[in-house]
Each structure stands twice: as C-alpha cells, then as structure tokens.
Amino acid sequence: MLLNELMESEASDDIWDMCWNHFVLNDTVGEAAYAAVPYLVEFVQRSVTIDWNALALISAIDLARPAGPAMPSRLKQDYFQAIRALPQILANHPQTQWDELTTRYAASCIALGRGQRELAKIYSDLSLEEGIAWRMNRERTS
C-alpha cells in the first residue's frame, strides 16, 4: 500500500518518513526493502522532478543488503535489473539541474549500478561540506 501511495500521489514528507521507517531501520533492511527497489527506480524514472529521498533510499537499501537477510530468489531478477538500470535512467532523465542531495545520491546510485560499492558508500556518506574540507586538506598537504 505504501508503494502504491507513493506511485499514485505526490510524494510527501510523511510518505518518505514511512518509507524510511518501513524499509531501512538503523541501516538494516529486510525482504520488503528488496521488493521496494524496483518500484523506487520506476518512481524515479516516471518523476518529472527527482526526489532525492528515492535515490537515498535505493542507495541505503543496496548498501545495507550484504549485511541483511538473504534476498529471496523471486526478487533477485527485478531487484538487480533495477539497480543496473539506474545509471541510464538518471542519464536520460529530463530534469537537468539537480540540487546537492539529489546529485550526491544519484552519484551513489550510478556507482552501485556499475558495481562500485565503495564509491557508492563515499557518495552516500560524504556531504558537500565534508568533501570540500577533504579536498582543501589534500591540496594543503600536496
């Protein structure tokens, strides 16, 4: 029901809060989160404006997957197909200007779709301010 509401209506903060609470709790995921990923990817593809929450949720679910329960075989094909489709979906999305959070989580999802889990984690965890501080520190020590 939650995913149907997301797909059929304007995504509100309340819906996103429910998604986060239902699918990712304390960086742990379950079977429902795995089933949600293809729907979240479809939501991104259909949306005129990308909501960073969808990308962050996809990223969080996939990054938590190795520590989570085994994915049921009935979900694997759709799940991994959705993850692999993300880079192309984001490249072809009609919205050409993204804010910092959307860009950050889009980069994480692109990295996941290309098998770069460590980069995905860095993009997901590192804020713009932290990235700037890291770069400035690196330039000072070079």
Side-chain angles (χ1 to χ4, degrees):
M1 284 186 358
L2 182 58
L3 291 171
N4 286 336
E5 187 174 345
L6 179 64
M7 297 297 273
E8 294 173 3
S9 67
E10 192 74 24
S12 67
D13 289 343
D14 289 340
I15 292 174
W16 287 121
D17 286 344
M18 287 188 287
C19 284
W20 278 102
N21 290 330
H22 190 71
F23 299 128
V24 181
L25 188 58
N26 299 325
D27 293 328
T28 60
V29 294
E31 202 173 299
Y34 302 146
V37 166
Y39 292 96
L40 292 166
V41 172
E42 183 179 343
F43 176 81
V44 170
Q45 187 171 20
R46 286 186 186 182
S47 298
V48 174
T49 302
I50 298 173
D51 190 311
W52 69 268
N53 280 285
L55 298 174
L57 197 51
I58 293 165
S59 177
I61 291 167
D62 199 56
L63 289 170
R65 179 177 48 81
M71 187 181 305
S73 60
R74 70 181 187 285
L75 300 177
K76 285 182 180 180
Q77 181 177 351
D78 290 342
Y79 180 93
F80 290 111
Q81 185 175 12
I83 294 292
R84 285 189 305 272
L86 274 166
Q88 194 64 45
I89 288 168
L90 291 167
N92 292 332
H93 199 276
Q95 182 185 1
T96 57
Q97 296 295 314
W98 298 342
D99 62 22
E100 185 261 330
L101 283 174
T102 303
T103 302
R104 187 170 128 199
Y105 291 111
S108 179
C109 286
I110 290 167
L112 288 168
R114 296 297 183 240
Q116 298 294 322
R117 297 187 66 74
E118 287 302 316
L119 280 175
K121 182 90 172 112
I122 290 167
Y123 286 125
S124 145
D125 289 350
L126 197 63
S127 72
L128 178 60
E129 293 81 19
E130 291 167 326
I132 291 169
W134 174 84
R135 187 190 68 202
M136 291 176 72
N137 184 47
R138 184 172 176 176
E139 288 173 359
R140 277 193 297 259
T141 60
S142 299

